[in-house]
Amino acid sequence: MSESVPIVLRVNGEEHRLLVEPRRLLSDVLREDCGLTGTHVGCEHGVCGACTVLFDGRPARSCLLYAVQAQGHEVTTIEAVAAEGRLSAVQQALHEAHGLQCGFCTPGIVITMEAWLAENPNPSEAEIREALSGNLCRCTGYHNIVAAIAKAAARRAGSAA
Amino acid sequence: MKPARFAYDAPPTLAAALALLAEHRDDAKVVAGGQSLAPMLNMRLVQPARLIDINGLPELASVTRDGDRLVVGALMRHADLARDPIVAAQCPMLACAAGTIGHYAIRQRGTLGGSLAHADPAAQLPLVALALDAEIEVASAAGRRRIPARDFFVSILATALAPDELIVAVRFPVRGPREGWSFRLFSRRAGDFALAAVAASLALSADGALAALRLAAGGLGPVPLRVDQLSGLATGVPMSRERAAAAARAVGAAAEIEENERVPADYRRELLAALAQDALDEALERAR
Ligand SMILES: Cc1cc2nc3c(=O)[nH]c(=O)nc-3n(C[C@H](O)[C@H](O)[C@H](O)COP(=O)(O)OP(=O)(O)OC[C@H]3O[C@@H](n4cnc5c(N)ncnc54)[C@H](O)[C@@H]3O)c2cc1C
Ligand code: FES
Ligand code: FES
């Protein structure tokens, strides 16, 4: 009744033909079957944000999706963000502002905040803090992450103008 | 943190989804946004034999107008409710409340129907549905029916839905002239479930008297509650900030609040009075 099923998973523009049990989390399939270990796994119940990927361009917890659900959809992981060898605005700002220590939370933060900044190009510090509430960081105390997001926002606005 | 085995179906049509539900009933679980169900599956708090994925049914993701009702599809995501200009103009309380749910990434997936069917006692959208006297439109292979929000929420995580029924849409009243609204909640950290929340909608007549009042509170017990009756406000009487303040105190004093070790009832009683005061003030302001 619940044997493995064949699926075609489109990740970062590439097709993966896989055989998966329906209960396999998208996060696990990305890491174990596609070899894309940039997607991190913390809590597996939606709280920490480390596993966030883009699902049809929108941030989504990959631990709250099953890989079978991703058929016919486009998944984008952190590996695609600096694919051309150039860091994204959020990545560059995190680097400059020392917005990471161990880096466990970083992929989820980059994926989430790039999408959020595209929708909220001119955020206040309070808005940045609220947006970051969905990504837990156990190292930095958030201060430098907030500074990095503000910097990335300013830089994005500058390059858009 | 890995779910037990389940079979998976992604029916291509509503009829196919309803047929699967009719066949499997309690053995199956519908999955929409998965933002409440997947954590429960991953923790094995629920172990259905089958998931029926309704994300491929675009007919459940529309917003249409039917007379004085805004008919909002069950698959509308929280983020889309928050940014849809039609929802913002015609049912602003719904748009506002949806924008306060969880976190940015959670709102991109979570749906209106999923939130109502999940029926968390502190959730925003069940409170809005109750406060606005929305009707929940449900379908099964046998036909359709509309359930008033007052009859829908039965207990913690329990609703009037039968095992073979699917929520297809929710019918909200369109905001009328001289109608003000407010949605207020308090949580300790951004994105946490509310410790208490209040939804208020009031209409004034041309002379400034109260023409209609709807007041509801969430997070106080197993289901959201209507508290208009506790406010002492009567229609036909001129509205003022003083009357609103007295009403908020009366609601705080009289509301039934469940004792809870983590958040004492007395604390939530004070929260409720303060939130009701802010909500009534803001609704009054917006009605003028
Ligand atoms: C970190 C985090 C924080 C959150 N914070 C909040 C918060 O502050 N406030 C809040 O309200 N919610 C919060 N949520 C939950 C979120 O709002 C969910 O989106 C919502 O509760 C369920 O919607 P869903 O579409 O994800 O439903 P699912 O998880 O897919 O389903 C939930 C339940 O509803 C049933 N169901 C789904 N759709 C239908 C339908 N159309 N007809 C019949 N049954 C259906 C499912 O079978 C299941 O039993 C949070 C979730 C997370 C992970
Ligand atoms: S691992 Fe997915 S949110 Fe924590
Ligand atoms: S840098 Fe270590 S968790 Fe954020």
Side-chain angles (χ1 to χ4, degrees):
Chain A
M1 54 162 253
S2 54
E3 306 97 48
S4 296
V5 292
I7 62 165
V8 181
L9 202 61
R10 262 184 83 80
V11 187
N12 304 333
E14 232 175 85
E15 286 193 350
H16 299 256
R17 285 167 198 283
L18 306 168
L19 203 59
V20 298
E21 268 190 90
R23 64 167 163 165
R24 301 260 333 270
L25 308 187
L26 177 60
S27 44
D28 287 339
V29 170
L30 288 172
R31 290 175 57 83
E32 294 162 11
D33 300 44
C34 304
L36 296 167
T37 51
T39 296
H40 291 170
V41 171
C43 67
E44 293 186 331
H45 62 274
V47 172
C48 75
C51 70
T52 309
V53 299
L54 295 182
F55 193 78
D56 293 335
R58 296 166 71 154
R61 305 297 204 224
S62 60
C63 72
L64 301 185
L65 280 161
Y66 302 100
V68 280
Q69 295 187 277
Q71 282 235 78
H73 297 274
E74 185 71 50
V75 178
T76 310
T77 67
I78 189 67
E79 282 84 355
V81 174
E84 311 289 305
R86 269 193 55 204
L87 298 182
S88 75
V90 171
Q91 285 174 319
Q92 183 66 35
L94 283 167
H95 170 64
E96 290 169 16
H98 194 51
L100 60 141
Q101 290 177 24
C102 79
F104 195 83
C105 64
T106 313
I109 288 180
V110 170
I111 290 277
T112 308
M113 297 313 286
E114 286 290 356
W116 185 76
L117 284 176
E119 205 180 332
N120 301 274
N122 195 12
S124 66
E125 185 187 320
E127 286 166 342
I128 292 172
R129 286 186 178 275
E130 189 174 336
L132 276 172
S133 70
N135 293 86
L136 301 186
C137 175
R138 298 293 79 167
C139 300
T140 64
Y142 301 100
H143 193 80
N144 290 351
I145 303 179
V146 174
I149 303 304
K151 195 168 191 172
R155 202 169 283 158
R156 282 177 68 116
S159 67
Chain B
M1 297 297 292
K2 310 292 181 191
R5 286 200 176 83
F6 53 75
Y8 173 81
D9 279 302
T13 63
L14 179 58
L18 296 177
L20 280 167
L21 263 180
E23 184 187 343
H24 297 286
R25 297 178 67 92
D26 283 325
D27 289 338
K29 272 274 178 199
V30 168
V31 61
Q35 304 300 290
S36 295
L37 181 60
M40 293 175 75
L41 288 168
N42 292 1
M43 293 189 257
R44 301 200 180 190
L45 296 174
V46 290
Q47 304 192 11
R50 178 176 299 267
L51 285 195
I52 302 174
D53 188 338
I54 59 171
N55 284 285
L57 307 178
E59 66 261 50
L60 299 190
S62 64
V63 176
T64 54
R65 179 79 183 253
D66 179 13
D68 61 358
R69 298 276 148 168
L70 194 67
V71 185
V72 184
L75 262 187
M76 285 293 287
R77 319 254 172 208
H78 309 327
D80 293 327
L81 292 175
R83 65 179 157 226
D84 187 307
I86 294 172
V87 177
Q90 303 191 3
C91 193
M93 186 197 288
L94 177 62
C96 167
T100 68
I101 296 172
H103 314 285
Y104 182 69
I106 302 300
R107 293 194 291 273
Q108 308 301 317
R109 293 292 307 158
T111 67
L112 171 61
S115 182
L116 298 195
H118 186 62
D120 188 289
Q124 284 87 334
L125 302 183
L127 175 58
V128 170
L130 180 76
L132 293 180
D133 289 318
E135 290 172 304
I136 293 113
E137 184 154 347
V138 307
S140 71
R144 291 196 176 216
R145 62 179 180 134
R146 288 180 190 164
I147 309 173
R150 275 175 195 267
D151 302 331
F152 188 78
F153 303 104
V154 175
S155 186
I156 300 181
L157 311 188
T159 69
L161 272 180
D164 62 340
E165 281 179 326
L166 194 70
I167 301 177
V168 289
V170 185
R171 300 168 62 86
F172 293 93
V174 169
R175 181 187 184 188
R178 285 190 300 276
E179 190 178 316
W181 62 278
S182 179
F183 184 86
R184 293 289 177 132
L185 63 76
F186 181 82
S187 57
R188 290 223 176 94
R189 297 172 302 188
D192 282 3
F193 274 94
L195 297 185
V198 170
S201 158
L202 58 83
L204 300 177
S205 49
D207 62 2
L210 184 66
L213 173 71
R214 295 180 176 130
L215 196 60
L220 310 178
V223 291
L225 298 173
R226 281 295 283 263
V227 293
D228 348 22
Q229 299 297 323
L230 307 180
S231 72
L233 288 171
T235 54
V237 177
M239 256 323 264
S240 65
R241 287 186 61 123
E242 292 66 39
R243 281 222 159 84
R249 280 195 302 275
V251 167
E256 221 174 283
I257 302 183
E258 217 175 50
E259 198 48 72
N260 168 330
E261 275 172 33
R262 220 164 40 84
V263 196
D266 283 348
Y267 173 67
R268 276 186 296 167
R269 192 172 294 290
E270 288 192 28
L271 257 184
L272 170 63
L275 291 168
Q277 163 110 51
D278 289 349
L280 286 169
D281 281 352
E282 187 173 46
L284 189 56
E285 200 64 37
R286 285 178 171 146
R288 281 183 171 144

